[in-house]
Amino acid sequence: MTVHEKMKGYSLVTASMATMSLLGYFATPYPSYFLGFFVGLFFGFLNLWTTYQKALVIGKFRPTTSTKRSFLSYGLAGVSTVIRIAFALAAVAIALYFPEAIHLFSVIAGFSLIYVIILLDLILQTVRKR
């Protein structure tokens, strides 16, 4: 399975979870929980997308015959890490700025759901290979 196919699958799962959270926002008496989950899911997906883009860029600039790493790949890795940390801080800051509209723990749950999806995909891939 290629990186593009995995990202497409992760995008579909994330879009379906985002749709369910928006339905919960409009249809239940707990809108702050579902809006917080949606905000966390959105920023978590942005983290995944930046990691995916970094993998594509570094894959283009990797040396084919040498094991020597370029400065560009290290620079991109560092910038990407700073961007992902900034996304996490932005999600929490939004929840703290609007505490009555966005539930903080739901933001954290939505943010971490991307990593749970990746872990489950890894486990399923391992089970299928055996």
Side-chain angles (χ1 to χ4, degrees):
M1 186 174 264
T2 66
V3 176
H4 298 291
E5 292 170 348
K6 284 190 175 194
M7 187 61 186
K8 184 178 178 181
Y10 296 151
S11 299
L12 290 174
V13 170
T14 304
S16 64
M17 294 298 286
T19 302
M20 286 189 285
S21 69
L22 287 178
L23 287 174
Y25 173 75
F26 290 114
T28 66
Y30 307 107
S32 66
Y33 293 102
F34 286 103
L35 187 59
F37 187 76
F38 178 77
V39 168
L41 195 62
F42 175 75
F43 280 102
F45 182 74
L46 285 178
N47 268 351
L48 178 64
W49 184 79
T50 57
T51 304
Y52 169 71
Q53 291 298 320
K54 180 186 77 167
L56 291 180
V57 169
I58 289 177
K60 289 179 186 176
F61 290 107
R62 70 178 172 87
T64 55
T65 58
S66 170
T67 59
K68 183 180 174 186
R69 303 283 187 234
S70 71
F71 181 72
L72 179 65
S73 64
Y74 288 123
L76 287 173
V79 169
S80 177
T81 302
V82 170
I83 289 171
R84 287 187 308 218
I85 291 171
F87 281 148
L89 291 175
V92 171
I94 289 171
L96 291 175
Y97 192 71
F98 301 107
E100 59 278 339
I102 300 173
H103 194 260
L104 176 63
F105 291 126
S106 297
V107 171
I108 295 169
F111 192 84
S112 63
L113 183 66
I114 296 294
Y115 299 103
V116 172
I117 292 169
I118 293 171
L119 179 66
L120 289 175
D121 180 48
L122 179 66
I123 292 170
L124 287 174
Q125 295 280 331
T126 305
V127 168
R128 286 181 188 163
K129 287 183 180 180
R130 288 186 181 191

